[in-house]
Amino acid sequence: MQLPEVELNIYNKNNPVEAKIVENRIVSKESSPNYVRHITFDVSGTDLVGRVCVGQSIGVMPPGEDEKGRPHKMRLYSVSSPSGGENGNPALISTTVKRTIEEYEGKIYLGVASNYLADLKPGDSVMLAGPSGKRFLLPEKKESYNYLFFATGTGIAPFRGMMLDLIRSGCSGSVALLFGCSYRTDLLYPDLFGEMEKDHPNVHYLTAVSREDRRADGSKKYVQTLLEDQRDLLQPILEQDNTLIYICGLKGMETGIYRELLRMGLPGYLEWKKDAPEPESLESTLKTLTDSELKKQIRTTERVFEEVY
Ligand code: A2P
């Protein structure tokens, strides 16, 4: 499988470029305690036009200095617009940003870049760098594959663009999005994915609302548990050797997904670095190994793409 050649660091943190905000809309529900926004930059007149690919990130330079008087560091945000640009306009690049608000020892901390971006209004300027990333991409012949996209929270960003790209390219393979969030109010772009599923029989939109939905045994639903709960749909897709898996979001879901894939006994996605356990001892091995031990023993193949944080 061939990944496309993409542009890298047309601009960098020492040489950023000015872009204008054209849209900044909230995409989480009004009743959600979280604030997630879809933010679109106009990069007209810069060398970024038409040269940022979905799966890549752009760098945002928040103005000002930290408490030690040093300029704020650049932060990377995943692009959520399709490769041809938002609404087919190659000068428009979008991202999906959640305000970071944390409490530590009784004090509230606001994430510098996410809150800066969330406060910007159409017409405001922002300094950008990038693009960066050359591995978390759709393959060259993207329409020739099936896809399972696993996302939690704003990990959805690249998959919004990728799914728009795949639909535009006429991909007829199966495309399943497995999205996890805490509450139903935190489903991101549900209308877009619902429409895609309605209009395209090859698209499947599956959600795991961890603090509301329960599995048959009463346990929490997570993106990885969908593999078991939706096995009739997903196993036949995963058994095809032109299926690719993409994982984006919380670090913890990685090993959760590995465990389910190993249980399903599907070849082609994961390899044991040393000897694989016998099938009859697989379950006890999985129970014994901690997440970090499992990660050390497993290697993903070129059919698995990950961006976790
Ligand atoms: P929970 O926090 O209920 O355990 P968000 O970014 O909107 O907070 O969503 C993150 C989602 O990922 C939540 O549903 C969260 O569930 C879930 N999550 C947390 N840990 C894991 C994990 N190890 N594997 C998969 N999903 C996870």
Side-chain angles (χ1 to χ4, degrees):
M1 179 195 16
Q2 190 74 31
L3 293 182
E5 290 284 323
V6 288
E7 303 271 359
L8 289 172
N9 302 317
I10 301 169
Y11 297 97
N12 60 44
K13 63 179 193 291
N14 300 318
N15 165 36
V17 71
E18 186 178 335
K20 293 268 187 226
I21 301 288
V22 289
E23 185 185 22
N24 183 345
R25 73 181 149 91
I26 197 141
V27 286
S28 39
K29 284 259 164 60
E30 216 173 287
S31 49
S32 168
N34 298 307
Y35 303 96
V36 181
R37 306 183 103 88
H38 182 76
I39 300 180
T40 305
F41 308 105
D42 183 351
V43 297
S44 296
T46 78
D47 290 340
L48 292 176
V49 176
R51 295 167 76 188
V52 178
C53 196
V54 69
Q56 291 191 293
S57 300
I58 44 163
V60 172
M61 312 283 300
E65 294 169 346
D66 64 18
E67 64 285 356
K68 291 191 177 139
R70 293 173 302 210
H72 283 306
K73 289 202 180 75
M74 182 180 85
R75 267 60 162 208
L76 293 178
Y77 286 90
S78 287
V79 168
S80 56
S81 40
S83 295
E86 190 73 359
N87 303 321
N89 180 343
L92 299 183
I93 301 171
S94 303
T95 185
T96 309
V97 181
K98 178 175 172 176
R99 277 189 193 271
T100 314
I101 305 172
E102 275 165 12
E103 194 197 286
Y104 179 67
E105 294 183 341
K107 272 188 161 171
I108 295 224
Y109 292 87
L110 298 178
V112 170
S114 66
N115 284 283
Y116 160 67
L117 281 174
D119 286 342
L120 291 173
K121 303 273 176 296
D124 286 347
S125 295
V126 58
M127 300 307 286
L128 300 181
S132 62
K134 57 178 182 177
R135 161 85 191 136
F136 196 77
L137 301 170
L138 291 175
E140 194 82 77
K141 288 191 179 155
K142 54 180 175 287
E143 62 289 350
S144 314
Y145 295 85
N146 306 299
Y147 298 88
L148 251 67
F149 294 125
F150 290 90
T152 54
T154 50
I156 195 76
F159 302 144
R160 175 186 181 270
M162 286 182 182
M163 288 177 67
L164 288 166
D165 263 22
L166 289 171
I167 285 175
R168 186 165 315 144
S169 72
C171 172
S172 58
S174 298
V175 180
L177 171 64
L178 295 82
F179 178 71
C181 60
S182 306
Y183 298 101
R184 214 161 293 285
T185 51
D186 299 313
L187 291 170
L188 300 178
Y189 308 110
D191 297 344
L192 174 74
F193 297 122
E195 290 284 314
M196 283 184 184
E197 185 180 48
K198 189 160 70 70
D199 296 342
H200 302 275
N202 56 324
V203 172
H204 308 282
Y205 174 44
L206 309 174
T207 59
V209 183
S210 59
R211 299 187 199 173
E212 293 189 43
D213 297 344
R214 282 286 168 269
R215 304 182 67 211
D217 66 0
S219 63
K220 276 173 115 169
K221 257 197 189 180
Y222 280 138
V223 281
Q224 61 268 31
T225 64
L226 290 170
L227 285 170
E228 195 182 327
D229 298 341
Q230 298 281 339
R231 197 165 178 150
D232 291 350
L233 171 72
L234 299 174
Q235 175 128 2
I237 302 174
L238 284 162
E239 278 171 356
Q240 296 174 55
D241 54 19
N242 61 338
T243 297
L244 307 177
I245 291 180
Y246 289 68
I247 301 172
C248 187
L250 288 181
K251 217 178 184 40
M253 75 171 154
E254 226 183 347
T255 42
I257 294 168
Y258 293 176
R259 286 174 196 276
E260 286 305 320
L261 290 172
L262 291 165
R263 286 191 181 106
M264 290 168 89
L266 295 157
Y269 302 102
L270 304 172
E271 285 162 4
W272 291 90
K273 288 186 189 162
K274 290 199 196 122
D275 294 337
E278 296 301 325
E280 54 279 11
S281 59
L282 176 69
E283 197 50 48
S284 63
T285 307
L286 291 179
K287 283 217 170 82
T288 325
L289 292 178
T290 63
D291 284 353
S292 63
E293 286 166 347
L294 180 66
K295 271 196 82 170
K296 282 195 198 118
Q297 298 199 23
I298 288 286
R299 141 175 355 105
T300 53
T301 69
E302 62 158 19
R303 288 167 62 192
V304 179
F305 299 80
E306 294 181 11
E307 195 137 284
V308 292
Y309 33 83

